[in-house]
Amino acid sequence: MPSLPPIVVFDLDGTLAETAGDLVGTLNAILAREGLPTLPLERARDMIGAGAKALIQRGFEAAGEPIDDARLQTLFVDFLDHYGRHLSEHSYLFPGVETALNMLSARGFLLAVCTNKVEAHAKQLLEELGIAGRFAAICGRDTFPVYKPNPAHITLTVEQAKGDVTRAVMVGDSRADIDAAKAAGIPVIAVPFGYTDLPVEQLGPTRVIQHFDELVGAVDALVPTSAVA
């Protein structure tokens, strides 16, 4: 029986794509509607990374406004509705992403996305950015009963993509990505240009790359090309 192929699993926001403009734009639309001060992109950018609910909570905290679970749930639904209509107005792929994906595919790696964005939005955004077809699986916060930092979010994504979890690599930008991959026993490559409240170097990834030009070499070092069937 042939072995399963190796796989590289990517986070989306802050890893494959700069999405802060549209996420913060949606947060500010919610804050303004609730009569709260909006936030400049530079200040709100590092609030991203733990999902929409956390982003709303952090926006309210910045305004000194308490928010209970019921109100948070209502605003979460409103956030998803607004964001779904403004997914890619200001979002774009980071430099080198498409070349790196092409090179990894040529080396025999499957590609997948594991994101805390809801699945429908992840798929729509990747379609609008022109790369959805590159991935064997696109799994979001609501695809499975768990999500990052639960390690099963990554391992279930690998399973859905029909990849080999023993030859998997995670690429991400946040504590949730790094903690989930480490708990799953999967090496994790971190990028430093995403959304995190601490420098990724302090979060214990296996490797850090500064640009997607370095990704293929980093993946090859963790899953050598000679081991790729």
Side-chain angles (χ1 to χ4, degrees):
M1 184 174 177
S3 61
L4 296 171
I7 184 168
V8 182
V9 181
F10 294 88
D11 176 53
L12 176 47
D13 297 299
T15 299
L16 289 172
E18 174 64 87
T19 57
D22 294 311
L23 288 164
V24 174
T26 296
L27 172 64
N28 280 335
I30 297 292
L31 293 174
R33 196 196 69 188
E34 296 297 303
L36 300 175
T38 59
L39 294 167
L41 179 60
E42 318 80 66
R43 182 178 176 197
R45 191 177 186 274
D46 288 342
M47 295 180 180
I48 302 168
K53 281 189 177 179
L55 180 58
I56 296 165
Q57 285 178 309
R58 292 167 181 176
F60 271 64
E61 286 169 8
E65 175 80 4
I67 183 168
D68 60 29
D69 289 344
R71 188 180 186 192
L72 177 59
Q73 182 59 35
T74 297
L75 294 181
F76 174 63
V77 172
D78 293 345
F79 184 103
L80 294 182
D81 176 65
H82 184 281
Y83 182 59
R85 292 182 277 111
H86 303 274
L87 278 169
S88 61
E89 291 179 4
H90 304 288
S91 296
Y92 54 89
L93 297 173
F94 285 113
V97 164
E98 293 189 84
T99 297
L101 296 181
N102 289 339
M103 292 176 70
L104 288 168
S105 293
R107 279 166 161 71
F109 286 91
L110 288 177
L111 307 174
V113 169
C114 177
T115 173
N116 279 350
K117 197 183 223 64
V118 298
E119 181 184 314
H121 286 172
K123 288 181 173 178
Q124 183 183 340
L125 176 59
L126 290 166
E127 287 282 359
E128 292 179 11
L129 294 174
I131 60 169
R134 308 288 182 90
F135 301 104
I138 299 170
C139 300
R141 182 187 189 92
D142 54 340
T143 305
F144 310 112
V146 296
Y147 53 87
K148 297 178 298 186
N150 191 306
H153 195 186
I154 299 176
T155 56
L156 288 168
T157 297
V158 171
E159 182 180 318
Q160 187 172 117
K162 296 182 169 52
D164 184 350
V165 74
T166 70
R167 294 187 295 161
V169 178
M170 179 72 197
V171 183
D173 69 305
S174 72
R175 182 188 298 274
D177 301 320
I178 293 166
D179 287 353
K182 289 165 72 174
I186 292 171
V188 55
I189 298 168
V191 297
F193 40 73
Y195 313 133
T196 175
D197 54 351
L198 285 175
V200 288
E201 292 85 355
Q202 296 180 24
L203 301 177
T206 313
R207 286 174 174 258
V208 177
I209 60 171
Q210 303 298 318
H211 189 283
F212 269 94
D213 289 352
E214 303 170 38
L215 179 62
V216 174
V219 170
D220 281 347
L222 296 170
V223 182
T225 306
S226 60
V228 178

